[in-house]
Each structure stands twice: as structure tokens, then as C-alpha cells.
């Protein structure tokens, strides 16, 4: 058996060419905005709980734990 011939494709493209593709830019931008929003929520939600709801330390800890990545894994069914 011989190894299949390697064909030139997107893997062999020079660096920086991905950003020339409109679909990739949309994907990358959407993912970046989502990640920034998630990180902002991680910080802002406990601050709002303390400032607006006068939450105790324990309540903020429970809120932070419930909003963590571990809880979201359980909801997705994986």
C-alpha cells in the first residue's frame, strides 16, 4: 500500500489568509463577542447581586457557583 498523495488545500495556506474569508471573520467575531460577554457576566452578576439586592457573601457564592461552567455542562445533557 502506498500513502495517498498530499493535496494542496487550506491547511497549506500561508498565515493570515483565513481573515480574508468573510465566513471565518463572522465566526471569529461572533465567538469573540460571546467570550467577552460571558466573562463580563461572570464579573458583573455578583456585583449586581451585592449592589442592588444586598446579597450576603453566601448568596453571592451560591450565585457564582450556579452560574459556573460546571452547572452548564449538566444542563446540556453531556
Amino acid at each position: 500500500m502506498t500513502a495517498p498523495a498530499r493535496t494542496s488545500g487550506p491547511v497549506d495556506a500561508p498565515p493570515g489568509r483565513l481573515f480574508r474569508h468573510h465566513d471565518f471573520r463572522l465566526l471569529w467575531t461572533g465567538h469573540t463577542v460571546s467570550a467577552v460577554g460571558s466573562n463580563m457576566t461572570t464579573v458583573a452578576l455578583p456585583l449586581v447581586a451585592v449592589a442592588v439586592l444586598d446579597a450576603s457573601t453566601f448568596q453571592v457564592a451560591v450565585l457564582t457557583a450556579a452560574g459556573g461552567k460546571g452547572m452548564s455542562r449538566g444542563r446540556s445533557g453531556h
Side-chain angles (χ1 to χ4, degrees), residues 44-55:
L45 191 59
L47 291 176
V48 168
V50 169
V52 176
L53 303 174
D54 294 324

Side-chain angles (χ1 to χ4, degrees), residues 3 8 13-14 26 35-36 55 62 66 68:
S8 178
L26 287 175
V36 168
V62 170

Side-chain angles (χ1 to χ4, degrees), residues 19-62:
F19 285 102
R20 293 183 185 174
H21 295 281
H22 179 70
D23 290 339
F24 178 77
R25 285 194 316 263
L26 287 175
L27 174 70
W28 186 82
T29 302
H31 180 68
T32 302
V33 168
S34 176
V36 168
S38 294
N39 289 326
M40 286 178 60
T41 300
T42 302
V43 172
L45 191 59
L47 291 176
V48 168
V50 169
V52 176
L53 303 174
D54 294 324
S56 68
T57 305
F58 178 74
Q59 290 170 328
V60 172
V62 170

Side-chain angles (χ1 to χ4, degrees), residues 60-76:
V60 172
V62 170
L63 182 65
T64 302
K69 297 283 184 187
M71 294 297 288
S72 65
R73 178 182 290 168
R75 283 185 253 137
S76 67

